[in-house]
Amino acid sequence: MMDREKLVGSVGVGEQTIRTETMEVSMGPQHPSTHGVLRVVLKVDGEWIVEADPDLGYLHRSFEKLGELRTYPQGIFLTDRWDYVSAMNNNWVYCLAVEKLLGLQVPEKAEWIRVLISEMQRIASHLVFMGTYGLDVGALTPFFYCFREREKILDLFEEICGARLTYNFYRIGGVSRDVPRGWLDKVEALCDYLIPRLDELDDLLTNNKVFLARTVGIGVIPPEMAISYGLSGPMIRGSGIPYDLRKVAPYSVYDQIEFDVVTHDGGDCWSRTWVRSQEMRQSIRIVRQCIEKLRQMPEPTFDDPYGPSTHVMAKVPPKPKPKPNDVYVAIESPRGELGVYMVSDGSEKPYRMKIRGPAFVNLSVLPAIAPGHKVADLVAIVGNVDIVMGEVDR
Amino acid sequence: MTLTEISRAIARFLGFDPPTDQAAAQVILALIDALLIFGFLMLGVLVLIYVFRKIVGFIQARLGPRYTGPRGILQTLADALKLLRKEDIIPRAADRIAFNLAPLMVFLPAYLVYIVIPFGDPETGLVVRDLNVGVLYLLSISSVTVIGIVTAGWASANKWSLLGGMRSGAQLISYEVPMTLVFAVPVLLAGSLRLSDIVRAQGEFFWQWNAFRLDFFPFTLLAFITFLICALAETNQTPFDLPEAESELVAGFHVEYSGFKFAIFFLAEFGNTIAISAIATHLFLGGWKAPFPFLPDSGFWSLGWFFFKVSLLVLLIIWIRGTLLRVRIDQVMELGWKVLLPIGLICVTGVGLLVSIRPSPTEQAKQKVAVVSECPVSLQKDDGPFRWCRTHGRT
Amino acid sequence: MGEVIAFYILALIIVLGALAVVTGRNLFHCGLSLAAVLLAVAGLFILNGAEFLAWVQVLIYVGAVLVIILYAIMLSENITGERILLISQNRGVGFAAATLVFALIAFLGISLSGLLAGHTSSVKDPVLALLEGADSNVIVFGTLLLTRYILPFEFASVFLVIALIGALVIARTAE
Amino acid sequence: MEIGLSHYLILSGLLFAIGIYGILTRRNAIALLMCVELMLNAVNINLVAINRFLQPDWRIMTGQIFAAFVIVLAAAEACVGFALVIAIYRNLNRINVDEINLLKW
Amino acid sequence: MNDQELEQKIKENWGDGIVSLRPSLNGLEVRVTPNIFKEFARWLAADQEMEFNYLRCLSTVDWVQEQEIEVVYHLFSLRHRHHLVLKVRVPRKEPQLPTVSDIWATANWHEREAYDLMGVFFVGHPDLRRLFLPPGFEGHPLRKDYIHDIERFDDEFAEKIRRGEIQ
């Protein structure tokens, strides 16, 4: 027979809550809803999350070390693999950093092409987000619609630079090829095609009653926490702070383009999704302005069919050797502030190249907001951060 | 040509002509009925899965199966063969007996439900056994699936499948309550639990069917809608397909099953979908009756109308499954207990009050049914296993 | 003839299932054998013409009570780790008591059935007038329930509500 | 060979006896409650059998109605019983009947 | 506030601790000594006029010749829209620096990454453990003198896993 103290002692006399032991569960890295190979170690009490600790490094290829072993022009090919959903922006930030170190002036037509391509890439990336986020929350249909639209954008990219995912279209001092004839009309046709499609997507997902039930009030990030955690992109604009590098620190020709920064002060998963879907419309507006500008610029003179045409490429030595200096350059990628801190020591290879990944920083807020939610919500929150593991793990 | 005559013809074809009075003959005839129903179920599920893939594909702007056979018709056959050929893995820590029993316990109710469902006008014998406790039978059989699902979850000895099993068990139970209430509405209107009586109690014109009746307007339509929602929840369809919520629990209770057993779960799920739509047509959409009296609906026409309505409902379910997204488990429970249950109560009390004011349906039922609905010929004349209850004036 | 075969099959299932429940080592298997017993008892009811009662038994016992039992088993046994080993104690006493009771009932049963066979209760029930046209067990069951046995019917509903609230209070976790 | 009342009485007696054996030997609270269910079922069989054999007029089904109320009772009892068992398990982490003998803990 | 006012303000308050003040490609660049670094950082964030409440990026550079590791903070003020580059140099032997994760929460993961890849130890960090590399990993890959010996690394690592040191 159990002796009394042991029995009573173990239970604790008086008012005692019913003990349910917390269960440690690991979600990922092969979990279908984590994008790529993210593993989150969860302490779960029944259905509720007590603690969430992301375990990174499954896709760590140490681009920063590789950057130090490549000459400047060679480095561009690496950048496509950082954030493989919007590879164009990676190219751009790397080339921008080197141009700033070299003090190089990029021809105007190249600047406008860069803005046009980057904004199209933003639309494509947001479409991927809407599709996969729908899958996380359980809607199978939007995924197919989003990827059908994205295919049309990728076809246009294929026409201009021959690739659909790892483009390396940008060069130090400009872009690798001028715009083929008739390409701008196709882009304009695409813009007209996209507007009704985006409204259709909104009805299907963003304003869907059940989607609202699954995302409103989930993963709420107050503005101070957003600032303190250094969030950027739709994550910080979803909490009401209009921090958009294209307006705050305009680079390239963004100061000549008017568009408005989309913010929503809900701070929860739904407002971030809404911000992304509205941003797509702003990007279409920018693309239209770029098309007008590019139409007035000189036509491409294909004197050298294979080399870059003179309008879009500045004079750059094959192995540029910038003077010893250091610079931090950041652009507004679809996920947020994508920055590169580059230190040159006069040789042909960068001395140090630090990549500031937006998804990496945005994910760091997860341990702070996850506790208190349910397991099903965690999937919605992680999906909402729109992480791409290539850039989180670098 | 009633069902039992078909089965007797098959028996004669098989070379023995059973004198209809021995119990043994009775059992054999029942066996043949069972095989006929099983054949229908398999065929129905095969067609349903193919149609399901094609339509969801169409909804999602893609083509669906196209390569197996002309326009992908043989796709489901190919899936079935693939599943049969697949290796049947049993986890080492699994509770072997329960693990093998669970798929059976989930499939049997989906199959037994068809005994009571008339496929057409009972006069033409298109029903296996038109029990006079029809609706109650449907309810109790469908409540047995919960045990199968819970056993499947428990027996595969893995944390995730247990969670999935308990979740879907809880969901099924909490939706059985509003379902029972909503079942009561057509029974109140018809005054009997027998499915064929319920269908006969519904009027000739389609606006006299239980779903769109104008004399009990708000309640019956509400009951029909609640029934559809509960039906979706009972068969684990979107938006309530929590158990197979890929993103959270990675395929719920049948995650450890593979090969033939997984095919049985799949068969049961789609079998249930057809069964639920068949029940909905009988209770709310006037069973085998044509929307207008002048359209022919006796004999094999009734079969035609019945399948037409069932396919409409199945298409509706597939459409919902293609568009809506999944609801969280606590929202499912909340909807079940806090919304559907009160609605069910309101419907039953509403119809109950209205029925008690108007002349009681039993008299109406009596005038309409001149002849007592005789059960299939074979049972009538001879000595069957239920001889006792027949000699006591009970059909 | 059919009825005899059916009775013996069902009786066999009931006895074997009950023995499995009582002596089973794995708790979950006891639950499943209890399910078999309950379904077999429902079969017996059908044999005796009580169709409504049979399907009520399936609905309530197998559909609800057994599910509660299975949930209780799952909540109380940890998932992995040692299997649920049930060791029964003081078998002797149990066995003796069981045989004693069985002997008593069997003796009573046989003697009484012989005695009572002749005398069938002739109580006339005023409700009979109501049941003239009824042809099916369900209709009679329903009318009787709401006419002759209305009081126990109402009491049962109150009783169930009390049980429901009681269970909720006991099992709820302190939110 | 007809099935008479005695067959049913012997069957329900046997079931009842097995139930009693179970209650006396089982140490796990859940198994105990299961045996209670067995005994209740034995009672039901009896009720229905007697009603069928000793009541010529099939429309007087007092036995069956009584059995129905027994089922209702059993459901209520099971519901409360298992709630108790789960509550005990949560606090004491074991549901071995011999060890739950403290009135207040 | 433009760079000159900033430079002026910093000079007044922190004359001695400042190692150098010079304009760079990213606006004003301030180099500070490690011992006054924590108060200086807190002052930058707290001061109403400047209010650098947004840490854009925290990077580490390994200057092998001078045997020093330089930690670079790129700060930004959301309200005043001005930038500042804050640099600190710590000796390469055992690089130690007080943490700033209590001022800017984003520094939590940045510092863990710096510790993991460069070996800079941040005093006072709530949970300083490796972020990307497996727990049993030795050495800091981003250091210039880090030699990655493929064979030795794989056998050793496999051995460790077998011994169960790393799950």
Side-chain angles (χ1 to χ4, degrees):
Chain A
M1 220 292 285
M2 300 283 294
D3 52 34
R4 206 172 175 294
E5 290 66 28
K6 188 161 173 303
L7 193 62
V8 171
S10 72
V11 169
V13 185
E15 208 283 317
Q16 89 286 327
T17 56
I18 296 194
R19 279 196 333 278
T20 48
E21 68 285 350
T22 58
M23 194 163 72
E24 207 191 74
V25 167
S26 131
M27 198 181 98
Q30 278 80 25
H31 199 279
S33 86
T34 46
H35 305 249
V37 268
L38 164 71
R39 173 172 181 251
V40 183
V41 179
L42 289 173
K43 278 210 174 48
V44 169
D45 171 8
E47 193 66 35
W48 300 89
I49 297 167
V50 173
E51 202 188 292
D53 168 28
D55 168 15
L56 305 180
Y58 287 86
L59 202 58
H60 176 60
R61 296 157 288 183
S62 93
F63 282 114
E64 291 166 4
K65 188 77 178 176
L66 286 173
E68 290 163 13
L69 310 173
R70 297 288 185 278
T71 67
Y72 288 104
Q74 281 172 345
I76 301 173
F77 307 100
L78 272 180
T79 60
D80 295 328
R81 273 80 180 168
W82 299 348
D83 171 357
Y84 41 76
V85 178
S86 69
M88 289 292 194
N89 292 314
N90 312 340
N91 295 356
W92 195 359
V93 74
Y94 183 89
C95 300
L96 213 56
V98 181
E99 280 150 16
K100 219 160 190 193
L101 283 176
L102 289 166
L104 198 64
Q105 178 52 35
V106 176
E108 207 195 345
K109 179 159 189 183
E111 287 291 3
W112 284 100
I113 292 178
R114 283 181 168 181
V115 168
L116 172 71
I117 296 278
S118 161
E119 289 308 323
M120 278 170 67
Q121 178 74 85
R122 187 186 313 281
I123 298 171
S125 166
H126 281 331
L127 282 173
V128 167
F129 163 77
M130 300 297 272
T132 45
Y133 194 54
L135 278 180
D136 290 346
V137 171
L140 305 177
T141 318
F143 178 80
F144 293 94
Y145 286 78
C146 298
F147 272 67
R148 181 185 63 185
E149 267 71 290
R150 183 165 175 266
E151 279 312 307
K152 295 198 165 39
I153 299 176
L154 295 190
D155 294 346
L156 289 176
F157 281 165
E158 197 172 355
E159 252 182 77
I160 192 164
C161 65
R164 295 168 66 86
L165 191 68
T166 57
Y167 310 105
N168 66 68
F169 171 64
Y170 291 59
R171 288 291 176 278
I172 298 167
V175 278
S176 62
R177 282 183 67 251
D178 202 335
V179 171
R181 224 164 264 110
W183 188 76
L184 287 177
D185 312 334
K186 286 190 188 144
V187 174
E188 191 156 28
L190 176 70
C191 293
D192 308 337
Y193 164 80
L194 270 181
I195 290 289
R197 289 293 162 271
L198 291 181
D199 301 339
E200 188 185 72
L201 189 63
D202 266 357
D203 301 341
L204 193 58
L205 193 65
T206 331
N207 305 331
N208 181 324
K209 268 279 161 296
V210 187
F211 182 77
L212 288 166
R214 282 297 298 275
T215 50
V216 171
I218 307 287
V220 179
I221 302 178
E224 321 74 36
M225 181 194 271
I227 296 173
S228 161
Y229 271 88
L231 304 185
S232 54
M235 292 289 282
I236 198 167
R237 292 196 286 274
S239 301
I241 299 155
Y243 175 73
D244 182 335
L245 285 171
R246 295 173 292 177
K247 279 282 193 238
V248 161
Y251 48 94
S252 166
V253 287
Y254 270 106
D255 38 20
Q256 301 164 23
I257 300 171
E258 358 86 20
F259 67 98
D260 33 33
V261 176
V262 179
T263 65
H264 187 287
D265 43 21
D268 54 16
C269 284
W270 187 82
S271 28
R272 291 189 282 271
T273 315
W274 182 82
V275 161
R276 289 193 178 100
S277 109
Q278 294 306 320
E279 258 176 24
M280 284 199 265
R281 289 175 174 80
Q282 293 305 325
S283 299
I284 292 178
R285 223 173 116 200
I286 299 171
V287 166
R288 286 190 198 283
Q289 291 169 43
C290 295
I291 293 173
E292 277 149 38
K293 262 307 196 193
L294 283 171
R295 285 221 169 98
Q296 294 137 17
M297 296 205 178
E299 275 296 314
T301 57
F302 283 103
D303 38 20
D304 161 10
Y306 296 105
S309 102
T310 54
H311 301 286
V312 287
M313 194 54 186
K315 282 282 164 292
V316 177
K319 278 201 171 64
K321 295 189 177 65
K323 292 186 296 310
N325 201 341
D326 67 306
V327 72
Y328 173 73
V329 163
I331 66 167
E332 184 65 29
S333 95
R335 269 147 212 82
E337 176 182 330
L338 172 63
V340 163
Y341 174 65
M342 196 171 278
V343 179
S344 55
D345 61 352
S347 74
E348 59 195 17
K349 292 183 178 127
Y351 186 75
R352 168 77 163 103
M353 181 189 71
K354 153 83 179 166
I355 309 158
R356 190 269 193 202
F360 170 73
V361 178
N362 293 349
L363 189 60
S364 67
V365 83
L366 186 67
I369 56 173
H373 286 92
K374 288 200 259 305
V375 174
D377 299 336
L378 182 80
V379 170
I381 297 168
V382 167
N384 198 270
V385 174
D386 188 11
I387 48 169
V388 175
M389 290 316 287
E391 177 217 309
V392 169
D393 284 351
R394 285 189 300 284
Chain B
M1 256 298 274
T2 70
L3 206 60
T4 34
E5 264 140 28
I6 299 166
S7 43
R8 182 145 330 97
I10 296 169
R12 226 169 276 117
F13 170 75
L14 293 179
F16 75 98
D17 183 358
T20 54
D21 53 1
Q22 278 133 8
Q26 234 353 285
V27 167
I28 293 157
L29 287 177
L31 206 64
I32 295 170
D33 282 351
L35 284 178
L36 276 172
I37 295 290
F38 189 76
F40 158 75
L41 182 64
M42 297 299 279
L43 195 66
V45 167
L46 282 183
V47 166
L48 176 65
I49 293 178
Y50 170 70
V51 165
F52 169 76
R53 284 174 179 231
K54 270 289 180 190
I55 292 179
V56 169
F58 169 72
I59 294 174
Q60 294 171 350
R62 59 185 169 79
L63 286 177
R66 287 180 64 240
Y67 297 108
T68 48
R71 296 183 66 79
I73 292 176
L74 304 179
Q75 176 62 33
T76 343
L77 216 60
D79 287 348
L81 290 180
K82 174 202 78 178
L83 277 178
L84 290 179
R85 223 170 28 77
K86 272 258 182 74
E87 186 210 355
D88 201 345
I89 308 152
I90 300 180
R92 199 159 18 81
D95 178 341
R96 201 164 293 281
I97 305 161
F99 189 81
N100 296 331
L101 214 58
L104 202 62
M105 276 196 275
V106 170
F107 175 70
L108 263 183
Y111 174 49
L112 290 178
V113 166
Y114 286 97
I115 293 179
V116 167
I117 297 176
F119 289 91
D121 199 342
E123 261 71 37
T124 52
L126 287 170
V127 69
V128 178
R129 287 290 181 287
D130 195 359
L131 299 176
N132 51 29
V133 280
V135 171
L136 182 65
Y137 169 84
L138 289 178
L139 264 175
S140 41
I141 284 289
S142 68
S143 74
V144 171
T145 40
V146 181
I147 299 178
I149 289 175
V150 165
T151 333
W154 166 264
S156 21
N158 118 20
K159 200 187 304 186
W160 291 107
S161 71
L162 177 64
L163 270 178
M166 287 176 96
R167 263 188 181 189
S168 68
Q171 172 186 325
L172 285 181
I173 293 172
S174 55
Y175 275 87
E176 229 172 272
V177 179
M179 179 96 118
T180 321
L181 287 172
V182 165
F183 264 104
V185 167
V187 168
L188 274 172
L189 293 174
S192 127
L193 282 171
R194 193 195 298 271
L195 270 171
S196 47
D197 292 351
I198 292 175
V199 170
R200 281 197 199 85
Q202 298 174 35
E204 291 308 319
F205 293 90
F206 72 88
W207 58 82
Q208 285 172 340
W209 291 344
N210 277 355
F212 321 106
R213 282 175 91 112
L214 299 178
D215 41 8
F216 295 88
F217 173 68
F219 303 112
T220 42
L221 189 62
L222 218 59
F224 179 50
I225 295 162
T226 329
F227 177 80
L228 281 185
I229 299 172
C230 293
L232 284 178
E234 286 285 319
T235 51
N236 290 338
Q237 307 263 3
T238 321
F240 304 102
D241 58 355
L242 258 312
E244 303 98 33
E246 301 78 14
S247 50
E248 291 121 44
L249 289 187
V250 189
F253 56 87
H254 45 65
V255 70
E256 294 292 347
Y257 283 88
S258 60
F260 185 63
K261 297 197 189 73
F262 183 74
I264 292 184
F265 275 119
F266 217 59
L267 197 64
E269 187 198 328
F270 279 99
N272 266 333
T273 321
I274 302 177
I276 287 282
S277 353
I279 297 168
T281 39
H282 282 302
L283 295 186
F284 289 98
L285 296 177
W288 58 83
K289 286 193 170 146
F292 296 100
F294 46 83
L295 295 173
D297 67 2
S298 62
F300 275 90
W301 278 102
S302 61
L303 192 72
W305 284 113
F306 170 69
F307 276 118
F308 172 66
K309 288 181 197 159
V310 167
S311 42
L312 272 187
L313 272 176
V314 165
L315 287 182
L316 178 71
I317 291 179
I318 295 175
W319 184 15
I320 292 173
R321 200 168 168 150
T323 42
L324 280 188
L325 47 92
R326 188 174 308 115
V327 186
R328 228 187 17 228
I329 179 79
D330 56 312
Q331 289 160 341
V332 166
M333 291 301 164
E334 214 177 299
L335 178 71
W337 291 106
K338 295 195 179 125
V339 172
L340 292 186
L341 188 55
I343 291 179
L345 286 173
I346 294 165
C347 289
V348 172
T349 37
V351 171
L353 282 176
L354 291 176
V355 161
S356 59
I357 296 164
R358 293 209 178 80
S360 80
T362 40
E363 276 81 31
Q364 283 167 351
K366 283 224 170 35
Q367 295 115 19
K368 215 169 277 152
V369 176
V371 64
V372 171
S373 65
E374 36 89 14
C375 63
V377 172
S378 63
L379 196 57
Q380 190 74 23
K381 286 191 293 301
D382 44 44
D383 166 21
F386 308 121
R387 182 184 55 74
W388 185 84
C389 58
R390 206 184 53 267
T391 49
H392 278 70
R394 190 162 314 134
T395 51
Chain C
M1 228 306 275
E3 200 186 335
V4 174
I5 304 166
F7 171 78
Y8 278 115
I9 296 169
L10 291 175
L12 199 66
I13 298 172
I14 291 176
V15 171
L16 289 181
L19 283 176
V21 167
V22 166
T23 57
R25 305 202 58 73
N26 177 332
L27 198 55
F28 206 84
H29 291 175
C30 297
L32 293 183
S33 39
L34 183 64
V37 171
L38 296 176
L39 289 171
V41 166
L44 271 186
F45 289 162
I46 295 178
L47 266 184
N48 289 336
E51 285 132 1
F52 182 76
L53 194 69
W55 297 111
V56 161
Q57 151 108 348
V58 170
L59 179 64
I60 296 182
Y61 253 121
V62 177
V65 171
L66 196 72
V67 171
I68 298 177
I69 295 176
L70 293 183
Y71 265 75
I73 295 174
M74 288 200 282
L75 284 175
S76 60
E77 304 301 329
N78 47 34
I79 301 149
T80 47
E82 36 84 26
R83 267 276 150 253
I84 320 138
L85 286 170
L86 298 163
I87 18 117
S88 320
Q89 236 98 16
N90 45 48
R91 279 210 184 76
V93 172
F95 194 72
T99 41
L100 182 70
V101 164
F102 172 62
L104 185 68
I105 294 175
F107 168 73
L108 267 175
I110 295 164
S111 58
L112 263 180
S113 66
L115 189 68
L116 284 175
H119 157 69
T120 54
S121 81
S122 59
V123 65
K124 274 288 153 273
D125 195 328
V127 166
L128 266 183
L130 251 174
L131 303 171
E132 275 338 305
D135 59 352
S136 85
N137 167 293
V138 182
I139 295 177
V140 171
F141 198 98
T143 35
L144 270 178
L145 206 57
L146 286 179
T147 51
R148 188 79 177 68
Y149 303 97
I150 188 75
L151 183 62
F153 181 73
E154 295 309 329
F155 171 75
S157 54
V158 171
F159 178 72
L160 280 174
V161 169
I162 299 167
L164 185 71
I165 296 167
L168 275 182
V169 165
I170 297 168
R172 71 171 168 71
T173 51
E175 252 75 33
Chain D
M1 207 281 280
E2 268 316 305
I3 295 292
L5 180 61
S6 53
H7 292 77
Y8 281 100
L9 290 180
I10 292 168
L11 175 67
S12 69
L14 195 61
L15 190 59
F16 192 81
I18 295 174
I20 287 192
Y21 172 79
I23 289 183
L24 294 179
T25 55
R26 277 300 188 182
R27 298 185 57 232
N28 181 317
I30 294 181
L32 204 102
L33 284 172
M34 276 199 240
C35 298
V36 168
E37 300 300 332
L38 279 182
M39 291 161 66
L40 287 170
N41 271 311
V43 166
N44 279 350
I45 297 175
N46 248 349
L47 285 171
V48 171
I50 290 168
N51 180 39
R52 169 190 167 190
F53 284 99
L54 302 182
Q55 173 52 272
D57 178 357
W58 66 274
R59 280 170 306 179
I60 309 292
M61 39 176 79
T62 34
Q64 290 177 19
I65 291 182
F66 195 94
F69 284 121
V70 167
I71 292 180
V72 162
L73 172 119
E77 173 264 336
C79 159
V80 174
F82 285 99
L84 268 173
V85 161
I86 294 172
I88 294 169
Y89 175 77
R90 280 226 175 96
N91 290 345
L92 287 183
N93 242 320
R94 76 190 74 74
I95 41 172
N96 206 319
V97 173
D98 299 348
E99 285 156 14
I100 312 166
N101 47 26
L102 299 165
L103 274 187
K104 185 175 178 316
W105 59 76
Chain E
M1 285 173 71
N2 58 35
D3 291 357
Q4 281 66 30
E5 286 154 3
L6 264 176
E7 194 173 341
Q8 188 53 34
K9 190 167 172 52
I10 291 170
K11 271 220 183 63
E12 286 150 18
N13 300 359
W14 295 85
D16 47 10
I18 305 296
V19 172
S20 81
L21 258 168
R22 65 177 182 81
S24 76
L25 287 170
N26 286 104
L28 185 68
E29 178 197 292
V30 184
R31 185 162 294 146
V32 203
T33 56
N35 40 36
I36 68 148
F37 163 72
K38 184 70 186 227
E39 286 67 32
F40 186 76
R42 185 164 285 125
W43 175 67
L44 282 179
D47 183 284
Q48 280 316 322
E49 267 176 9
M50 297 193 290
E51 208 202 344
F52 285 102
N53 52 14
Y54 192 80
L55 170 62
R56 293 178 76 178
C57 180
L58 180 154
S59 340
T60 50
V61 185
D62 176 13
W63 297 103
V64 187
Q65 284 77 19
E66 293 100 350
Q67 280 302 320
E68 274 178 345
I69 289 183
E70 181 181 54
V71 185
V72 182
Y73 297 78
H74 290 272
L75 298 166
F76 177 67
S77 160
L78 284 174
R79 180 171 318 122
H80 305 304
R81 294 283 162 87
H82 50 230
H83 300 268
L84 183 80
V85 180
L86 175 62
K87 292 193 176 179
V88 189
R89 290 216 168 198
V90 283
R92 207 162 173 284
K93 285 296 160 286
E94 353 69 35
Q96 290 230 328
L97 203 60
T99 179
V100 287
S101 53
D102 44 3
I103 307 167
W104 301 287
T106 186
N108 187 319
W109 274 24
H110 277 105
E111 282 168 356
R112 272 181 66 189
E113 182 200 358
Y115 164 70
D116 186 2
L117 300 180
M118 196 61 98
V120 178
F121 188 78
F122 289 89
V123 175
H125 187 283
D127 169 21
L128 197 64
R129 49 185 164 85
R130 285 192 179 274
L131 189 58
F132 295 127
L133 302 173
F137 192 87
E138 274 142 23
H140 303 287
L142 276 184
R143 293 217 177 172
K144 291 291 180 183
D145 56 6
Y146 175 80
I147 313 118
H148 183 60
D149 174 353
I150 306 265
E151 289 74 25
R152 189 175 57 75
F153 166 77
D154 287 347
D155 307 343
E156 207 179 85
F157 195 59
E159 181 57 24
K160 245 191 217 124
I161 292 178
R162 210 167 38 71
R163 281 202 303 275
E165 275 164 32
I166 311 164
Q167 294 79 24

